Amino acid sequence: MSDKPVRVRFAPSPTGKLHIGGARTAIYNWAFARANGGTFILRIDDTDPTRSTDENTQVILRAMRWLGLDWDEGPEVGGDYGPYFQTERLDVYRDAARKLVDEGRAYYCFCTPEKLEADRKAAQERHDPFQGYQRTCRDIDPAEAQRRVDAGEPYTIRIKVPQDRGDVVVHDAVHGDVTFNARELDDFIIFRSDGTPTYNFATVVDDADMGITHIIRGDDHLSNTPRQVMVYEALGAPVPVFAHISMILGADGKKLSKRHGATSVEEYRDAGYLSDAFVNYLALLGWALDGDTTIVPRDVLASRFSLDHVSKNPATFDPEKLDWVNGQYLQAMDDSTFSSEILMPQLVAAGLESEGTPAHDSAWYDLLSSLLKPRTTLAPQVVEKARFLYEGDEVTLDEKSVSKNIAKEGVSACLEAAREALEAIDADGWHAEAIDAALEELPERLGVGKRKVFQAVRVAECGNQVSPPLGASMELLGRDTSLARLTRAMPLAG
RNA sequence: GUCCCCAUCGUCUAGCGGCCUAGGACGCCACCCUUUCAAGGUGGAUAUCACGGGUUCGAAUCCCGUUGGGGGCACCA
């Protein structure tokens, strides 16, 4: 490994939203930089003008911020190695390519796409194991080539892979040394005839220029790496350490795509996942702190992440485990945090509360939070669980719950007794403990099962046989509403 | 076709030659707690470590091969 200060980069191309796979790559880069006191750079690889958009760039930046992956250099923060958009660096590539041509490490190629296609077919037909570029223009005299360029003939620029290069060894922090034979590498195009650089050239020029020491990226680039090594060598730049991480698969073992549901980071944000939980889950998809830890907070990730615990296997994305991790982070919040960051925004979004003017005092929301928190794995779930508190005297009664718990023989007497017991509590004493205490003695007094009494009251109060704890729910409803709901349910009782 | 990568419970993984009759987590089941649902606690089922050969006193761990997945071989990134 390099002893230079670590500099890593995440270089998405703005041809779409930030996907789960890209997000994990970004997380690993960020965590690696943080854990090594290095620099995390964000670069936008927008050399494909037809598919790149400013809007996508904005979406990616927003997703990065939501993930909490702060970059030290890049868009909006600047840095000494800018610009950080490839489209603003065209001169850099042009100069680099020209230098390579001048040094004889690259050359002009005048082959038409049609000729290349024909060559490829011919190679295929004669079962030539080498089906790449046939090096037609490699030996054109440089002066002659320059003349044709000056005359306006269309050309591309190709890298000149040294004939005697032998094995190209890629040093990969997760795969170890991976050896390729340079003879399998063709003289690939580094500059297109339209005057724009190709990906394999532009990234290397940038990575060399920006002093990137470690390249952490998707597995799909591993086969491209020896090509890129050729460019580093031609440029006379040090070759960085690579770390190729595996892909993320859907439940069917196929590469994650739209068919598997949400794939972009913003969809998860909008669904109500916590940034911390999402980052935690993704970090663990292909990396482990040790054999036991499943909750790895951001700061631990930023101090303990290391490349040698990155898995080589492709990982299947498991939404259920994500939900569990999210629930863990929710449980770890204190009630007032849960109240202000989860509960309130959701209630406002659902139209049950209005922004800035809460219907109750903060103690009320804290109590509600303490009830809902353990029952929540995903923020929006609080809405349906809290809805019954916002329906006044006319709570919506679930039909099945009524028929199973209220429309039964003897329930009438239960509700009657409950009302009586509760009426004895005055407004000042209307608290969960008192309510529970009042209800607690009823079953024995009436000679019926606890379940019968409590479930009947529950349905009357909450509208459903499944609800948060009864006493506390009634405290939240208040004395008047609680009694009114009880009265209202009585005609339904058997 | 060719080159490269990968292979431990359903899933994410621990494991870097003896501690492994393979550990943890999600999910699943049961029990405890309990007025419902959760949360929490306890316990359980699920892996012939893809297969076949080696190397070794000893292999999930090293080597070779096979099979199965994946990726590259573009004037895409």
Side-chain angles (χ1 to χ4, degrees), chain A residues 243-310:
Chain A
H244 286 97
I245 62 179
S246 63
M247 322 226 95
I248 298 179
L249 274 23
D252 55 359
K254 296 260 161 47
K255 196 179 164 184
L256 204 59
S257 73
K258 279 270 172 277
R259 293 181 301 112
H260 300 100
T263 51
S264 73
V265 169
E266 60 179 3
E267 285 172 279
Y268 286 87
R269 179 200 61 201
D270 294 345
Y273 288 93
L274 258 20
S275 165
D276 286 349
F278 191 68
V279 169
N280 186 152
Y281 174 72
L282 245 33
L284 250 36
L285 206 55
W287 173 78
L289 178 60
D290 52 45
D292 304 306
T293 315
T294 48
I295 298 300
V296 184
R298 200 182 290 277
D299 58 318
V300 175
L301 188 62
S303 60
R304 308 276 307 275
F305 181 83
S306 78
L307 256 16
D308 46 70
H309 278 93
V310 173

Side-chain angles (χ1 to χ4, degrees), chain A residues 247 296 388 398 422:
Chain A
M247 322 226 95
V296 184
F388 76 95
D398 174 64
L422 293 167

